[in-house]
């Protein structure tokens, strides 16, 4: 039937096009329309009206043409066209040459493509009529419009589908009407509805479109919490600490979201006292924990009531019932082997400090809380009583003293007592015990310090000398009370008096007019101090009183005791400065003495090494008589090491044996040289004599003998050298008696050599 309707539509469109084509030959465009002639055109009428040159109808074309031939749109025609083909028609504009084609001779316009009005409703084109021979415009260019006519080819569409809506359960009637009066989200939480739209008011031949609407039923708090069970059972050991979780219970709620949030609480007094319930915000579970220590021996089973209720209640649904539920929780306490417990828990004991060793301080008691009631043994943690001052009876728990006590040394003792099962020492409990040592009057009072006082020689009777105070290591409960008096041996003294001030102090006054320090400069006054006991104890202290000289104002000037005077007149800073100065002087004196001793020892060593008493070996040859810088004189002052000379090349060596068969003596012979009778040394003798005379006359020569170095040796001398340093012999062949004729400066040398020769002669004999 739809095909028949579509054919009917096409027939109607063709009839309309035919009517338009026939009317295009009779109807002319208005003077104000496009294609008007220009002024002066021959087509102008006498009456002044312009003769229209273009002839055509308003063009229409139907959309969605499905034929095989091009669709005829219309015809343009100029009234100057005589039908001889001399005029050529052309078009330009939107779709010209592509969508719309024109017959150049007849002016017929056809549509070659399928048009869609929903995409473009009209096309604007321009028409021209030209002379085919000259290609000149015969008519002015005219603009015309081709409109696309609509047909029912598009069905209705839902632009934003599919649609999702929501409605609260138990909602009243609204825009979308429900088929039931009480929607229940817990039964079905969503619905899908298909909606169809038809055009042409639903008449035959109209098109339609559809969409899906999803309706979500939102939740309201219309369901109370419900426990799946009416009773829950849990168990826990009796030693579980406070805060231990026993178990979890949960009430179910059919709602969702915040409508399922709930709180839990205990409903009976026992449960509130022994247990605590909290809500886990993540799981909405009730967590039951221990709030008070459990005891199996006291109660083995605890029964509590836990209630669950919604946190957010909707007042609209209060009439549906109470939004809460209850369940019973049964907690069984399990027995465990527990350590003994101290009873009573008092941790303070007292004992007198004069208690004998082995005296009982107190008794501790511990019981096994288990039903077996095992026997208990006691001990002291020795880490808290390293000196073993106290002991404990392992069976009875009696604490006794192990050493002599002294409150003044330690007034409190803190020890730890252990109680354990006799057959299981791993079950141990501890108790801290404080022992207070009670004071006993066992220390006599003593003067607070060794008192010393000074009195002027011209002191008057009744003058205050010193205020005396005492100390006592004891601490009586009623406080201290001391009594002062002079002992019997001092009561007969008429020099000083003692006054008890009654506030645990006493005052010493003078009792005579003036003192004479020449007769006695120091007085020792004994003072007897007695405490209040019990029993009363006493001690005697001594007050040292010095007699000093004072000025007119009573200021002490000097005392016979230098230390006392200095301590009374000099400040500690001055004493320190004085001691530092004394130490500096002592250091300076010691330094000076050390330098002098060092200098004296140096001079002594120089005298011992004098050239007059020693023969010096040197290997340095001088540069002449006037040369005093060519060698170091200190080398001549060093002792000659004769131990280095062994086995020379002349005479008898040191390694040879003496006449007696013993090794040669360690004492070396002086250098000697053999005088040949054939040699004449007069030239050298004269030269040396002249030098000796010059030395004797020279006042700058040192007053002791010294060796001289000469550069004069002569010529072709058979003797190797005049020096006696390198010529030495162990024999006594030379005669040194001639040295005595050289003058007083060589007398010591001659005596040395001649004496040496005499010793050798005596040894040979």
């Amino acid at each position: 039937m739809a095909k028949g309707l579509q054919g009917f539509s096409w027939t109607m469109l063709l009839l309309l096009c035919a009517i338009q084509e026939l009317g295009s030959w009779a109807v002319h465009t208005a003077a104000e329309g496009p294609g008007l002639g220009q002024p002066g055109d021959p087509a102008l009428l006498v009456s002044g009206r312009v003769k229209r040159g273009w002839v055509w109808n308003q063009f229409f074309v139907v959309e969605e043409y499905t034929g095989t031939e091009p669709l005829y749109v219309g015809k343009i025609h100029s009234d100057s066209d005589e039908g001889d083909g001399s005029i050529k028609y052309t078009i330009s504009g939107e779709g010209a040459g592509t969508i719309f084609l024109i017959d150049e001779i007849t002016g017929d316009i056809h549509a070659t493509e399928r048009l869609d009005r929903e995409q473009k409703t009209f096309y604007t084109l321009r028409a021209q009529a030209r002379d085919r021979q000259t290609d000149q415009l015969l008519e002015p260019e005219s603009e015309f419009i081709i409109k696309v006519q609509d047909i029912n080819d598009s069905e209705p569409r839902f632009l934003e589908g599919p649609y999702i809506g929501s409605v609260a359960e138990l909602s009243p009637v609204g825009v979308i009407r429900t088929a039931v009066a009480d929607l229940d989200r817990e039964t079905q939480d969503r619905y899908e509805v298909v909606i169809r739209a038809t055009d042409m008011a639903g008449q035959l031949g109209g098109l339609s479109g559809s969409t899906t609407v999803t309706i979500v039923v939102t939740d309201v708090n219309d369901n109370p919490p419900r426990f799946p069970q009416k009773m829950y059972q849990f168990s826990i050991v009796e030693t579980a600490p406070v805060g231990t979780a026993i178990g979890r219970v949960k009430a179910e709620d059919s709602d969702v979201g915040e409508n399922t949030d709930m709180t839990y609480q205990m409903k009976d007094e026992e449960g509130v006292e022994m247990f605590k319930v909290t809500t886990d915000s993540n799981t909405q579970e009730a967590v039951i924990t221990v709030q008070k220590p459990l005891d199996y021996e006291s109660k083995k089973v605890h029964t509590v009531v836990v209630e669950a209720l919604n946190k957010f209640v909707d007042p609209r649904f209060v009439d549906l019932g109470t939004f809460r539920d209850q369940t019973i929780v049964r907690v069984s306490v399990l027995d465990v082997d527990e350590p003994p417990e101290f009873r009573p828990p008092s941790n303070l004991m007292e004992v007198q400090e004069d208690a004998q060793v082995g005296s009982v301080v107190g008794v501790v008691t511990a019981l096994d809380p288990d039903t077996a009631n095992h026997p208990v043994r006691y001990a002291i943690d020795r880490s808290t009583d390293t000196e073993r001052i106290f002991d404990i009876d392992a069976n009875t728990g009696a604490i006794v003293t192990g050493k002599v006590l002294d409150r003044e040394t330690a007034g409190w003792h803190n020890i730890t007592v252990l109680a354990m099962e006799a057959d299981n020492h791993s079950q141990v409990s501890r108790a801290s015990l404080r022992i207070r040592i009670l004071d006993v009057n066992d220390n006599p009072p003593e003067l607070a310090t060794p008192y010393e006082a000074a009195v002027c020689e011209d002191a008057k009777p009744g003058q205050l000398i010193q205020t005396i105070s005492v100390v006592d290591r004891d601490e009586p409960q009623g406080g201290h009370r001391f009594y002062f008096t002079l002992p019997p041996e001092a009561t007969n003294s008429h020099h000083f008096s003692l006054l008890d001030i009654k506030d645990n102090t006493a005052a010493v006054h003078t009792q005579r007019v003036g003192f004479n320090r020449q007769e006695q400069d120091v007085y020792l006054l004994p003072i007897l101090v007695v405490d209040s006991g019990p029993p009363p104890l006493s001690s005697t202290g001594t007050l040292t009183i010095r007699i000093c000289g004072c000025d007119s104002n009573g200021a002490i000037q000097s005392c016979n005791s230098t230390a006392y005077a200095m301590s009374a007149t000099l400040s500690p800073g001055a004493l320190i400065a004085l001691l530092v100065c004394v130490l500096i002087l002592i250091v300076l004196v010691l330094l000076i003495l050390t330098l002098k001793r060092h200098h004296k020892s140096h001079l002594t060593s120089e005298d011992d090494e004098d050239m007059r008493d020693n023969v010096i070996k040197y290997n340095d040859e001088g540069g002449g008589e006037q040369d005093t810088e060519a060698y170091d004189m200190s080398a001549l002052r060093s002792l000659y090491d004769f131990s280095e000379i062994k086995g020379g090349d002349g005479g008898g060596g040191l390694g040879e044996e003496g006449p007696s068969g013993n090794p040669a003596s360690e004492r070396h012979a002086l250098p000697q040289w053999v005088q040949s009778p054939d040699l004449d040394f007069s030239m050298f003798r004269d030269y040396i004599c002249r030098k000796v005379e010059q030395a004797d006359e020279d006042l700058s020569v040192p007053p002791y003998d010294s060796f001289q170095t000469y550069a004069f040796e002569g010529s072709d001398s058979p003797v190797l050298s005049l020096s006696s340093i390198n010529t030495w012999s162990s024999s006594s062949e030379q005669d040194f008696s001639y040295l005595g004729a050289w003058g007083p400066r060589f007398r010591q040398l001659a005596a040395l050599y001649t004496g040496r020769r005499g010793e050798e002669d005596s040894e040979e004999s």
Side-chain angles (χ1 to χ4, degrees), residues 232-236 243-250 266 275-278 285-290 306 329-331:
Y232 294 87
Q233 291 188 354
F234 299 101
S235 60
I236 188 170
T244 303
I246 300 175
R248 292 172 175 250
V249 296
K250 183 179 181 181
M266 293 287 181
F275 305 100
K276 180 181 179 181
V277 61
T278 57
E285 291 178 320
V287 182
I288 303 173
T289 57
V290 178
V306 178
V329 177
R330 185 184 178 92
V331 180

Side-chain angles (χ1 to χ4, degrees), residues 588-600:
L588 290 176
V589 170
L590 293 176
L591 182 61
I592 292 172
L593 292 177
T594 303
L595 292 176
K596 284 186 177 182
R597 181 175 297 178
H598 178 72
H599 182 66
K600 184 181 293 185

Side-chain angles (χ1 to χ4, degrees), residues 33-97:
L36 294 176
Q38 300 298 327
D41 191 285
L44 291 177
L45 301 177
V46 177
S47 62
R49 295 182 63 189
V50 180
K51 180 182 179 182
R52 189 169 64 181
W54 287 105
V55 180
W56 62 70
N57 270 337
Q58 187 176 10
F59 300 137
F60 296 90
V61 61
V62 67
E63 67 171 339
E64 301 297 340
Y65 173 69
T66 58
T68 58
E69 298 296 332
L71 177 62
Y72 180 76
V73 178
K75 183 182 183 68
I76 61 174
H77 181 73
S78 177
D79 56 0
S80 61
D81 187 2
E82 298 179 355
D84 56 359
S86 60
I87 297 177
K88 180 177 69 173
Y89 297 97
T90 60
I91 59 175
S92 61
E94 296 177 337

